[in-house]
Every structure is written in C-alpha cells, then in structure tokens.
Amino acid sequence: MKQPVVIAWDEARKRVHERGYSLPFVGEQSGAEVLQLHLSSINPGEAAHEPHVHGGEEIMFLITGSGMATLGEEEHPMEAMAALFAPEGTRHGLRNNGESPITYLVIRTSE
C-alpha cells in the first residue's frame, strides 16, 4: 500500500521559464500512480504551451486572473475560480489574456 503524504510548497521544485513557472506537487515522485497535480503561473499574453492533445483526462482550475480556454476548436473566456475539463483526446489549452499573471492548478490522469 502506498503511503499518504503532505506535500508542502518547495521553491527547489519550481520550474521557472520565460512565460512564468510550474511547481509540481503530486506525481510519480510522490508515489501517485494515476494522478498528477501541479500549479502554474503564466505571464500576461502568454500560454504555458500551445493547445495540445494527450491521453488521460485533465482539469485546469483557474485560481487568479483571466484567461482564454481552448477546447477542441472553440475558445471560451475564463475568470478566476472556474474549471476547464478536457476529456482524453480533446485539444485543450489556456492563455493568459489579462494584464497580470494567472495562477492555476492542473490535475491530470496518466496517459
């Protein structure tokens, strides 16, 4: 049986890039077999990456700021405290369309 664990904020895990940063919390490194969780912060006018497709389900929960979500070929405005759900095989993405950084959680299942 896997051991439960509390995973604190740790700057050493932060992955800074030119668009903002990502901080992993739950994944293989913490003993998870199916779930992954990370927090991302993206600068105004940027996206972590272009809309993409992959196996597994994904949820993006926007904590602060405003963004433009891509689901399939459609775009949808998002405000803080809203979630995007992308079923397996669905093209998806999130771009910061505001004037300050956005912060959001990403929850994924393994591919």
Side-chain angles (χ1 to χ4, degrees):
M1 180 173 153
K2 297 281 182 182
Q3 294 299 310
V5 61
V6 172
I7 304 160
W9 184 277
D10 181 355
E11 292 287 323
R13 289 194 324 269
K14 189 186 256 187
R15 299 179 197 150
V16 178
H17 50 77
E18 65 278 358
R19 297 168 310 280
Y21 69 84
S22 176
L23 182 70
F25 278 88
V26 176
E28 290 180 9
Q29 75 283 359
S30 59
E33 295 179 5
V34 178
L35 291 174
Q36 300 172 20
L37 169 70
H38 73 267
L39 181 129
S40 285
S41 180
I42 302 298
N43 297 325
E46 300 285 345
H49 42 71
E50 292 301 313
H52 60 284
V53 176
H54 54 71
E57 298 176 325
E58 184 168 331
I59 299 167
M60 294 180 186
F61 184 81
L62 187 57
I63 299 168
T64 63
S66 63
M68 186 61 68
T70 300
L71 286 169
E73 298 305 315
E74 298 180 3
E75 291 191 333
H76 305 271
M78 279 184 73
E79 297 294 327
M81 306 312 284
L84 167 162
F85 170 65
E88 184 170 13
T90 301
R91 182 175 176 265
H92 61 282
L94 181 60
R95 175 171 295 282
N96 182 345
N97 66 353
E99 296 181 13
S100 60
I102 61 172
T103 304
Y104 59 98
L105 290 173
V106 176
I107 303 166
R108 286 187 55 191
T109 59
S110 299
E111 300 180 14

